Amino acid sequence: MGLRGVGQAADARGAACGQAEGMRSYAELPGLMTQLTGDEKHGPSATSTLDVLWVLYDQVLRVSPGTVDDPGRDRFLLSKGHGPAAYYAVLAAKEFIPESWLPDFGSASSRLGYHPDRSLVPGVEIASGSLGHGLPIGIGVAHGLLARGLPGLGDTAPRVYVLTGDAELDEGSNSEAIVYAGAVGLPNLTVVAVDNQSSTYGWGPGGIEAHFAVSGWSTTRVPGRDHSALAAAFRVTSAGAGPQLVVAAVEGEE
């Protein structure tokens, strides 16, 4: 399929994910985030993911508040679960959760903990926060979809998207997962790595992409605040034949 065909197919995938009447817009996300208070919301860390999360839920993921239990839905796994304020804001904007939950963030009675909990928050696929767990879990989910006969390619096939931070990729569990997914050629897995240059040791020549490419992943890097570039990158990856990496560069942020 050529690039134009890929774009048309992805547009069809994302048609059900667009803005519906009553839903909030991207411009309203900062206001939603301000409703979450306290030191544990880790504002800078959360803000670095805001644009990626919005593009995924607004244009890419085939999941809605009414299909959070549908076997054919796309799965989104927030591996970067440390500081989920942006994630909660996007879920509220897309009406997965009531906006009224936001001000109660982190309280003893709140469903919105300092790390997302899949048993408490509609639409959350995994309990996350311990760095290095999201990608290995995503590989298991991708395998599970294939084992259930849900194919990894095509316009209607469910896909697994895992969002990680760049420093999180230092974890040994991620290194093993990267090698494994590339070796078996998982066709229904996309990782988006938010690169704010916070990795302790850096990545050397080729950056994060080289770390994945040497294991057989297809990779691309785009500006992490450019919604058109992000959407185009996800359109290409959703039609790929193996595991895919999108690096969203938001240099200089924590």
Side-chain angles (χ1 to χ4, degrees), residues 66-119:
T67 61
V68 293
D69 295 317
D70 189 325
R73 73 190 183 280
D74 287 337
R75 273 70 166 177
F76 171 73
L77 280 59
L78 181 71
S79 187
K80 188 179 179 181
H82 192 65
Y87 188 33
Y88 291 152
V90 170
L91 290 177
K94 291 299 183 181
E95 299 184 341
F96 286 82
I97 62 175
E99 184 179 331
S100 60
W101 288 8
L102 299 179
D104 200 31
F105 168 69
S107 74
S109 61
S110 177
R111 289 177 177 237
L112 305 183
Y114 295 141
H115 306 298
D117 187 328
R118 72 178 305 273
S119 66

Side-chain angles (χ1 to χ4, degrees), residues 1-86:
M1 181 184 292
L3 183 58
R4 178 171 178 171
V6 169
Q8 291 172 339
D11 286 342
R13 281 175 60 89
C17 310
Q19 194 74 8
E21 185 177 355
M23 289 186 179
R24 297 284 196 161
S25 67
Y26 170 77
E28 295 173 284
L29 292 181
L32 293 176
M33 289 182 67
T34 62
Q35 297 187 43
L36 296 110
T37 60
D39 294 339
E40 291 296 326
K41 81 175 191 176
H42 296 284
S45 177
T47 301
S48 70
T49 68
L50 187 63
D51 295 85
V52 169
L53 287 166
W54 178 257
V55 171
L56 282 169
Y57 275 91
D58 192 57
Q59 301 186 48
V60 180
L61 295 173
R62 290 183 305 111
V63 64
S64 68
T67 61
V68 293
D69 295 317
D70 189 325
R73 73 190 183 280
D74 287 337
R75 273 70 166 177
F76 171 73
L77 280 59
L78 181 71
S79 187
K80 188 179 179 181
H82 192 65

Side-chain angles (χ1 to χ4, degrees), residues 94-160:
K94 291 299 183 181
E95 299 184 341
F96 286 82
I97 62 175
E99 184 179 331
S100 60
W101 288 8
L102 299 179
D104 200 31
F105 168 69
S107 74
S109 61
S110 177
R111 289 177 177 237
L112 305 183
Y114 295 141
H115 306 298
D117 187 328
R118 72 178 305 273
S119 66
L120 297 176
V121 186
V124 171
E125 298 283 357
I126 61 170
S128 58
S130 297
L131 299 181
H133 287 57
L135 180 51
I137 294 173
I139 288 173
V141 174
H143 266 308
L145 293 175
L146 296 176
R148 294 169 66 184
L150 299 170
L153 293 174
D155 297 347
T156 61
R159 191 166 186 87
V160 180

Side-chain angles (χ1 to χ4, degrees), residues 239-250:
Q244 311 284 320
L245 168 73
V246 175
V247 179
V250 287

